[in-house]
Amino acid sequence: MVLLLFAVVTAVAVAHGGAPLAAERSAHAWMLAHRPDAAVRAVGTLTRLGTGLPPYLAAAAAGTLAARAARTTGYRLAALCAPAAVLAAGQLLRTGLMLALARPRPPVADWAGPPPGAHAYPSGHAFTAAVAAGLLAQAIGRTAPRSRAAPVRAVLLLVAAAVGVSRAYLGVHWPLDVVGGWLLAAAWLGLWLPLLGRLSGPAPPTGPAPRTRAARTPNRR
């Protein structure tokens, strides 16, 4: 289902030479009109979480957590390395799609912050942040009690979403570029997370620990 949605969004995004839809132009114009310098600086800091070292630190943390829960030494090594490998392979796939589809970015005059790469679709920051957050969220969910894991996973989801939105806000992507990055990340995670889950062993119980009955001593008469 996610792959189908990605295919539909991709077809729309690259139709007519990649020209943006009217809705994308409107959203882009609104963001340009609401970009005070302080907001641009804050969003520029946030957007860095979707590139370079931070995503791989998240993948390394995911691998470390999974390795601790793995059943054998061989599984531990695989669990430790697998998240970073999944992230790196996903970035290669996303880069190949970007080069093949070659959707133009918004006008250079609209960009804020460091200049991005040549093409727009799908957004690399949106994809990378979502994959890194998904990898770490799964590792936390499988190695920590649900009551503690749920808030952390929610924060990871919000940060990944914010990184994607930041790319449109900074004027370097059209909105569909970001949506495409999210959908590709969801499909990529859906392919690999089941395997990573098997490497890290069984998930912790989600409910309260079962009560055990105290042993009864025979009545002495």
Side-chain angles (χ1 to χ4, degrees):
M1 183 63 179
V2 176
L3 275 176
L4 177 60
L5 286 174
F6 175 71
V8 171
V9 171
T10 300
V12 173
V14 301
H16 307 294
L21 302 178
E24 290 186 285
R25 289 186 182 276
S26 297
H28 183 75
W30 185 90
M31 291 181 188
L32 293 182
H34 296 81
R35 265 193 347 196
D37 291 341
V40 169
R41 287 194 296 271
V43 173
T45 299
L46 172 67
T47 203
R48 295 190 185 99
L49 296 177
T51 189
L53 187 60
Y56 282 95
L57 290 177
T64 301
L65 290 173
R68 289 179 179 176
R71 291 165 288 187
T72 65
T73 301
Y75 273 82
R76 290 190 191 100
L77 181 59
L80 178 65
C81 300
V86 168
L87 178 59
Q91 288 185 307
L92 289 175
L93 171 65
R94 199 274 316 167
T95 300
L97 287 171
M98 179 196 69
L99 294 174
L101 297 171
R103 189 189 196 198
R105 290 184 182 271
V108 176
D110 298 341
W111 298 356
H119 304 301
Y121 185 92
S123 166
H125 284 67
F127 172 83
T128 304
V131 170
L135 292 169
L136 184 53
Q138 189 215 33
I140 291 172
R142 296 191 68 87
T143 58
R146 186 174 182 179
S147 58
R148 282 186 280 176
V152 178
R153 296 172 80 178
V155 170
L156 289 171
L157 176 63
L158 289 174
V159 170
V163 169
V165 173
S166 75
R167 304 308 289 163
Y169 186 78
L170 294 175
V172 296
H173 278 290
W174 301 110
L176 280 187
D177 302 335
V178 175
V179 174
W182 287 336
L183 290 174
L184 182 61
W188 190 246
L189 289 170
L191 177 64
W192 290 105
L193 286 187
L195 173 61
L196 297 182
R198 288 194 290 272
L199 290 176
S200 62
T206 57
R211 295 182 178 180
T212 56
R213 293 183 179 180
R216 294 183 178 181
T217 56
N219 294 330
R220 295 182 179 179
R221 295 183 181 178

